[in-house]
Amino acid sequence: MRTRPRPYTRALATASALALAATLSSCASGASESADSLTLIDPWVKTAAADGMTAVFGTLENPTDADVTVTGASSDAAGMVELHEVVDGTMQEKDGGFTVPAGGELSLEPGGLHLMLMALPEDILAGEEITVTLELADGSTLEFTAPAKDFDGGNEDYEGDSMDADHGEMDMGSSADPSDG
Amino acid sequence: MPDDRIRRGPSRRQLLLGGAAAGAGAAVALGADRALASPGPTADTAGVNGDRVTPFHGPHQAGVTSSPGAHATYLAFDLLPATDRAGLERWLRLLSDDAARITQGRGALADLEPELAVRPAGLTATFGVGPAAVALAGAEAPAWLGPLPGYAIDRLEDRWSGGDLLVLLHGDDPTSISHLARMLVRDSRAYGELRWRQSGFRRAYGSDPQGTTMRNLFGQVDGSRNPGPGDPEFDAAVWARDDAPAWLAGGTSLVLRRIAMDLEGWDAVDVAGRENAVGRRLSDGAPLTGGGEHDDIDPEATGPNGFTVINPAAHAARARETDPARRIVRLSYSYDDDVEPGALDSLGRPAVSNVGLLFGSWQADVAAQYVPVQDRLAEADLMNTWTTPIGSAVFAVLPGCEQGGFVGETLF
Ligand code: HEM
Ligand SMILES: [Cu+2]
């Protein structure tokens, strides 16, 4: 059974934890690829309006005895996906990708590492599921789905965003609430 | 040994009360009592009840099949005008996901306070839909799904009535209830607007031996003749029958009545008058015609003067239903809210209390089971002198779902 390696969940782990883990499928084949062992637990994406940007979060777990590095990502829900980190409240591309240590985990969370979805062709609506594919250093890929949640956090500035320089803050996930329309 | 406990209880309480007056004598007296009897109740130093998990998944929703927790919160939402069929489905998926995680002691997705979820204490979430949500899904509504008939006793207020989507949260820990409620409200923002929220309580977990019938704020033992989950009468009364739409199989209905209780008026009534109003004893809830708490009243039994012992207009006499298929299953919580500015009591004085019952009722068919009882009570019930319905809502309570599914999936 897979449980999140945190004391409070371990005490209450139930069979449902297994089903709630993201279902990941390896798109490449081969016995020893990184994609076969890496998992993303509890992925979610912040709702966003078309043309905007937003982020995907979750916890990457690597039970193997070798580091695994995520080098890129793509999604039908975004024109472009980047691997971001937040430094001093500003987000930027993370050099060298996301390395998940052997036998360890890496959290993608608001205010920290995240997958940045940019140039969104359509609104990402609350409760909708988007599909994202991770590219790993050994060339294998991992596909997962993430439900969209309205969320007020995760509004870091983006240093790459020169067009929006007037605004002190780049809202990377303005609500796609249909009632706003 | 429940018997032991009942016999020991009063004597200990008397010692405590005597001790309070006698000062230092109390500790000595209590100690002596403890030494004589088997070990008394002890504090739950391990916090064992916090970890208690009620499974979310199953053929029925867990809030119907589990025994009521010490606290309950009802949330009712109105659909936003822009919410379409697909939006309703997305909304229900989100709500189920939050509930499936937090009731099992885990944070929800996008939950920055997962630490609040770690003491579910039996937390359950139960979802229901009103006629507008059923219509939006394009499903057939049962004939009974809609407001109850109006009654002369009603003083209904919009702010406690109606709604398109209902959530009932109950469990023994108000912090985990609050956290789940917050997540559900947050995840409703795109599709619904909170219409009302009502919270109620029973005695705290651990105060009463498990299985003790609750007391309402009139001091009455309330629920003695009420079938509980697991009783065959419960299943016969609650689960949707063959005549219900297929999407409701494994579901039921909920009537929620917010009923104000006039404590000041009740103060003016002596014990005999109070017991006469229900037909049961205040001390232990036993019928005035004899027997124990869980025994039926005998409406025909007569006293020395030739009149029936139980007043024909007594609440239990009027509410009583002998056909198991026509009974209702009650789920009551007390409320004790702030006095509203300018409110007056039944004697025209500035009000000092705002209490009542969140009277919930499960039944397979509202028209066949709830309405006949309510008709009788509205026509004649001594308790109507001190009780006033101020809110009313009716929902179809959805069946449960399995892992990977969501509550409400049968509507689509
Ligand atoms: C503030 C409002 C109410 C109070 C304080 C109250 C109180 C009580 C009490 C003390 C009893 C006796 C113990 C028991 O069997 O549970 C009782 C019984 C019952 N009540 Fe109520 N009640 C209220 C409203 C209602 C309403 C609105 C209904 C249904 C429309 C209802 C239906 C019943 C039924 C079916 C019984 C069981 C009768 C029997 O089989 O003996 N009550 N109630
Ligand atoms: Cu970013």
Side-chain angles (χ1 to χ4, degrees):
Chain A
M1 179 190 298
R2 170 167 300 284
T3 60
R4 295 166 74 186
R6 295 188 183 158
Y8 62 84
T9 52
R10 197 174 290 147
L12 289 156
T14 65
S16 69
L18 181 64
L20 292 169
T23 36
L24 293 171
S25 60
S26 170
C27 297
S29 56
S32 61
E33 286 178 333
S34 305
D36 288 336
S37 44
L38 193 70
T39 54
L40 180 56
I41 306 299
D42 290 345
W44 60 279
V45 58
K46 179 174 160 164
T47 55
D51 299 330
M53 46 210 296
T54 189
V56 174
F57 307 101
T59 303
L60 285 162
E61 278 187 6
N62 172 16
T64 70
D65 50 15
D67 292 357
V68 173
T69 300
V70 180
T71 53
S74 62
S75 171
D76 288 349
M80 181 169 50
V81 182
E82 291 180 354
L83 311 184
H84 276 192
E85 62 181 345
V86 175
V87 177
D88 297 331
T90 302
M91 56 188 187
Q92 61 192 38
E93 273 200 88
K94 169 96 172 133
D95 288 341
F98 297 163
T99 298
V100 191
E105 64 172 40
L106 189 70
S107 274
L108 311 183
E109 60 192 8
L113 302 177
H114 54 274
L115 301 171
M116 194 82 213
L117 272 52
M118 303 154 90
L120 307 180
E122 286 175 51
D123 292 349
I124 296 179
L125 302 170
E128 191 179 344
E129 298 220 325
I130 66 159
T131 303
V132 179
T133 304
L134 298 182
E135 293 137 29
L136 308 184
D138 69 351
S140 60
T141 59
L142 267 184
E143 192 180 277
F144 66 89
T145 60
K149 305 264 295 188
D150 279 335
F151 183 71
D152 289 332
N155 299 314
E156 282 74 22
D157 297 342
Y158 181 33
E159 72 165 15
D161 180 51
S162 48
M163 290 165 61
D164 216 50
D166 296 352
H167 294 66
E169 186 181 78
M170 170 70 199
D171 184 0
M172 62 182 206
S174 57
S175 172
D177 181 344
S179 69
D180 283 359
Chain B
M1 296 290 121
D3 281 352
D4 252 32
R5 212 172 290 166
I6 288 160
R7 257 186 277 121
R8 200 178 59 238
S11 80
R12 267 198 61 209
R13 214 162 290 141
Q14 280 157 12
L15 286 167
L16 275 166
L17 288 172
V28 177
L30 180 58
D33 180 59
R34 282 249 169 87
L36 289 174
S38 53
T42 48
D44 176 5
T45 47
V48 284
N49 190 52
D51 285 351
R52 193 164 58 82
V53 169
T54 304
F56 178 77
H57 296 104
H60 307 299
Q61 292 197 73
V64 188
T65 52
S66 59
S67 47
H71 299 267
T73 292
Y74 287 93
L75 306 167
F77 295 88
D78 287 334
L79 287 158
L80 290 177
T83 303
D84 59 8
R85 184 172 190 268
L88 175 62
E89 183 177 342
R90 286 194 297 271
W91 185 18
L92 290 167
R93 276 183 193 279
L94 281 171
L95 299 183
S96 267
D97 187 65
D98 287 340
R101 290 168 190 268
I102 293 178
T103 59
Q104 305 308 293
R106 304 157 29 93
L109 296 181
D111 185 350
L112 298 191
E113 298 88 28
E115 297 82 3
L116 296 179
V118 302
R119 299 283 178 256
L123 179 62
T124 63
T126 302
F127 300 96
V129 284
V134 176
L136 185 60
E140 176 205 350
W144 46 257
L145 186 57
L148 295 181
Y151 294 100
I153 54 170
D154 289 354
R155 298 287 179 273
L156 303 184
E157 298 176 38
D158 227 33
R159 60 184 176 140
W160 308 122
S161 301
D164 298 331
L165 187 136
L166 171 96
V167 189
L168 162 61
L169 308 178
H170 71 70
D172 288 333
D173 184 79
T175 298
S176 52
I177 291 178
S178 164
H179 184 57
L180 178 50
R182 194 262 163 153
M183 280 298 147
L184 296 173
V185 170
R186 197 177 86 178
D187 279 326
S188 296
R189 197 178 294 156
Y191 304 113
E193 185 177 37
L194 189 66
R195 179 182 177 86
W196 49 253
R197 175 178 182 142
Q198 306 189 51
S199 291
F201 56 88
R202 300 172 161 214
R203 280 207 204 277
Y205 170 81
S207 294
D208 267 336
Q210 231 169 32
T212 304
T213 310
M214 71 171 266
R215 280 190 188 265
N216 63 37
L217 296 182
F218 278 167
Q220 300 163 325
V221 179
D222 190 344
S224 309
R225 291 293 292 171
N226 199 35
D231 297 343
E233 301 96 314
F234 181 95
D235 293 336
V238 169
W239 305 121
R241 299 168 187 157
D242 294 344
D243 58 353
W247 59 264
L248 197 56
T252 179
S253 68
L254 175 80
V255 175
L256 179 66
R257 304 274 284 175
R258 183 180 179 91
I259 304 176
M261 298 182 4
D262 171 16
L263 283 188
E264 283 63 46
W266 188 245
D267 274 349
V269 186
D270 62 15
V271 171
R274 293 175 173 206
E275 294 184 335
N276 184 53
V278 173
R280 288 179 170 270
R281 280 208 304 248
L282 282 162
S283 58
D284 59 359
L288 295 181
T289 43
E293 188 213 317
H294 296 286
D295 288 325
D296 199 359
I297 58 166
D298 179 355
E300 262 91 63
T302 49
N305 56 11
F307 292 113
T308 56
V309 174
I310 300 214
N311 190 313
H315 180 70
R318 299 291 295 169
R320 187 166 166 269
E321 173 59 64
T322 47
D323 177 356
R326 289 171 57 96
R327 287 176 81 171
I328 58 173
V329 171
R330 292 169 284 148
L331 173 80
S332 289
Y333 283 92
S334 296
Y335 71 83
D336 183 351
D337 288 349
D338 290 347
V339 174
E340 304 203 340
L344 301 177
D345 72 11
S346 54
L347 297 172
R349 304 168 302 191
V352 293
S353 74
N354 177 14
V355 309
L357 212 54
L358 302 181
F359 179 91
S361 171
W362 309 117
Q363 55 278 307
D365 183 326
V366 175
Q369 294 165 264
Y370 187 87
V371 171
V373 187
Q374 185 66 78
D375 285 350
R376 290 200 298 274
L377 296 182
E379 189 181 85
D381 174 5
L382 292 175
M383 287 285 288
N384 289 342
T385 315
W386 309 280
T387 62
T388 309
I390 58 174
S392 187
V394 177
F395 299 94
V397 175
L398 297 158
C401 70
E402 297 303 326
Q403 277 174 26
F406 65 98
V407 174
E409 63 195 3
T410 55
L411 282 168
F412 297 92

